[in-house]
Amino acid sequence: LEEAAGLLGMAPAGKWALVSNAMDDSMLRSWTAYQLAAAMGMEYTPECRFVDLYLNGSYNGVYLLAQRVNADGGSVGIRNLGRLNEQHNRGGSPTGTVKVVKEDGLDDMQYCTWRGQPEDISGGYLLECDGRYADKDSWFLTEWNNISVECPEQCTREEMEYISALVRDAESSLLESDMRRKSSGRRQWRECFDQRSWAAMYIMQEF
């Protein structure tokens, strides 16, 4: 939507999704996951409603209308670094993308080339573990995950280096002993992750 709006009694959002549930005969899996996440108090859980979809007067079945998880429109309450990038460049767009490949020939990251960027690039960032990361403008790989950057969708080089380093360090904190990390001056895993929300996500996914 051009402006954030509330639909069917749901909170205003700028982006919405019509989920077909084509692979789910019960049409309840996505709805159940959203309801469980909300019941567990997980922040930024999308609201959703079942709708009958008519297109050009023809009935197309039952869909799930859901807020898309995004920082543009209010569904995730973080500082919108993507918008700040645009404002800093006077509403302009990136001049291109740069893909970085490691010495072993494997992908490392991809970022966009901007003429400038805000002084404060500490956030916010919205990340997604994404099997189709290569279709996006901004992404990076860790030892265990392929991650696309959903906000800002078009990262500068410095922003990509900043957020990828944080995530990679957090990931490695799960594999190293606290004593080893403390002696080297690096953050322990409890400093990298919010334990309550991490546990809630694990429990929900196991369910």
Side-chain angles (χ1 to χ4, degrees):
L1 304 178
E2 292 184 0
E3 296 183 4
L7 303 177
L8 302 179
M10 293 182 279
K15 295 183 179 180
W16 298 82
L18 280 169
V19 183
S20 66
N21 295 309
M23 304 300 293
D24 175 17
D25 291 340
S26 73
M27 296 188 294
L28 289 173
R29 292 178 186 171
S30 294
W31 181 87
T32 301
Y34 289 146
Q35 301 307 307
L36 177 60
M40 294 177 68
M42 298 181 68
E43 291 186 280
Y44 312 128
T45 299
E47 294 184 82
C48 60
R49 300 285 191 276
F50 284 109
V51 297
D52 290 310
L53 179 65
Y54 290 82
L55 184 62
N56 297 326
S58 298
Y59 181 62
N60 280 258
V62 177
Y63 281 69
L64 189 66
L65 176 66
Q67 298 167 333
R68 289 184 59 186
V69 177
N70 70 96
D72 187 11
S75 57
V76 177
I78 60 174
R79 177 170 172 259
N80 194 320
L81 189 54
R83 191 173 298 162
L84 293 174
N85 281 342
E86 294 177 0
Q87 292 173 357
H88 192 81
N89 288 273
R90 299 181 180 180
S93 300
T95 57
T97 58
V98 176
K99 180 179 177 180
V100 179
V101 179
K102 296 185 289 189
E103 292 182 358
D104 58 10
L106 298 177
D107 289 346
D108 183 45
M109 65 174 63
Q110 179 170 290
Y111 58 85
C112 297
T113 52
W114 290 88
R115 292 182 176 84
Q117 67 182 16
E119 291 185 10
D120 181 6
I121 61 170
S122 61
Y125 293 90
L126 180 60
L127 310 178
E128 178 182 354
C129 294
D130 191 350
R132 295 184 289 183
Y133 69 93
D135 296 334
K136 308 292 180 64
D137 287 331
S138 303
W139 49 262
F140 63 93
L141 274 58
T142 71
E143 185 174 356
W144 303 104
N145 290 294
N146 306 325
I147 298 178
S148 62
V149 183
E150 300 299 314
C151 180
E153 293 182 358
Q154 298 167 319
C155 285
T156 68
R157 184 190 69 184
E158 290 81 1
E159 290 165 353
M160 181 59 70
E161 290 175 345
Y162 172 83
I163 191 59
S164 63
L166 281 179
V167 174
R168 288 166 176 167
D169 181 62
E171 192 176 84
S172 67
S173 74
L174 298 172
L175 307 175
E176 297 182 60
S177 69
D178 287 349
M179 183 174 295
R180 180 178 178 182
R181 291 186 67 85
K182 185 177 181 180
S183 64
S184 62
R186 291 180 294 166
R187 297 178 303 162
Q188 300 175 38
W189 73 269
R190 292 176 181 83
E191 300 174 87
C192 299
F193 297 93
D194 178 81
Q195 296 175 58
R196 183 183 180 279
S197 62
W198 185 267
M201 175 62 74
Y202 181 85
I203 292 170
M204 192 192 75
Q205 292 184 342
E206 284 297 296
F207 176 83

